Amino acid sequence: MVDELLEWLLVTVEQRIKQCLDELAEKSNPELIASILTVATDVLVDNASLVRALVADLQFYDTVIPEFEPRLHTVIETLISRILGPGDEHQRRRTTSTALDTMFVIVLRTALESDSVCRGEYIAATSRMITHWIEPQPLPEPADGGCVTRER
């Protein structure tokens, strides 16, 4: 029974995130990430009693993350590929795994938060953080316009 409930919860989150990505393809990266976080959080908030029971009765992080991550890995990797463009496959996989772990933890934490204002603040802050971390950043120009050298 627990396995079936967990499966249902994971499938629901996965479907809602895929739907979100399809509907919001033209949004900015921060808006898209915030929408993904919001959708996943909303599913967990709507099922808070189930989530609390799963957290209390299971080794939640040991059982849910390994089941959840492969389901969303491709979805999140597609989003990250859109943000990063072509590049290093190892970096993309590492970025995807780290983003998924971060998103999962914040979604779980905010879903269990009773204050919806705090949930919105967590989601907005996490979205900005993930976007800033993922988006390619220009290298700063040296102050003198050339290479930095050290005197010996």
Side-chain angles (χ1 to χ4, degrees), residues 51-92:
V51 172
R52 283 187 183 92
L54 289 170
V55 169
D57 292 342
L58 298 173
Q59 295 293 327
F60 196 72
Y61 291 100
D62 293 338
T63 58
V64 175
I65 289 177
E67 297 223 8
F68 187 71
E69 190 170 357
R71 292 173 179 274
L72 290 179
H73 190 273
T74 303
V75 174
I76 301 301
E77 187 170 27
T78 300
L79 171 64
I80 288 172
S81 294
R82 178 183 129 184
I83 294 169
L84 291 177
D88 180 10
E89 192 64 29
H90 177 69
Q91 177 191 3
R92 185 179 331 284

Side-chain angles (χ1 to χ4, degrees), residues 2-20:
V2 171
D3 289 342
E4 291 171 6
L5 289 171
L6 179 58
E7 177 69 15
W8 175 83
L9 187 63
L10 295 174
V11 166
T12 302
V13 170
E14 178 183 18
Q15 289 172 343
R16 295 277 310 274
I17 288 175
K18 286 180 178 178
Q19 180 182 358
C20 175

Side-chain angles (χ1 to χ4, degrees), residues 119-133:
R119 279 196 300 269
E121 291 171 359
Y122 278 127
I123 288 170
T126 304
S127 174
R128 285 190 308 271
M129 178 192 70
I130 290 173
T131 301
H132 181 74
W133 173 63

Side-chain angles (χ1 to χ4, degrees), residues 87-145:
D88 180 10
E89 192 64 29
H90 177 69
Q91 177 191 3
R92 185 179 331 284
R93 282 193 307 271
R94 185 178 61 243
T95 301
T96 299
S97 294
T98 305
L100 264 173
D101 289 347
T102 303
M103 293 168 104
F104 181 81
V105 169
I106 200 66
V107 163
L108 183 59
R109 179 177 305 278
T110 58
L112 298 175
E113 175 67 51
S114 62
D115 184 349
S116 63
V117 173
C118 287
R119 279 196 300 269
E121 291 171 359
Y122 278 127
I123 288 170
T126 304
S127 174
R128 285 190 308 271
M129 178 192 70
I130 290 173
T131 301
H132 181 74
W133 173 63
I134 291 173
E135 287 182 336
Q137 302 294 318
L139 295 174
E141 294 290 325
D144 65 357

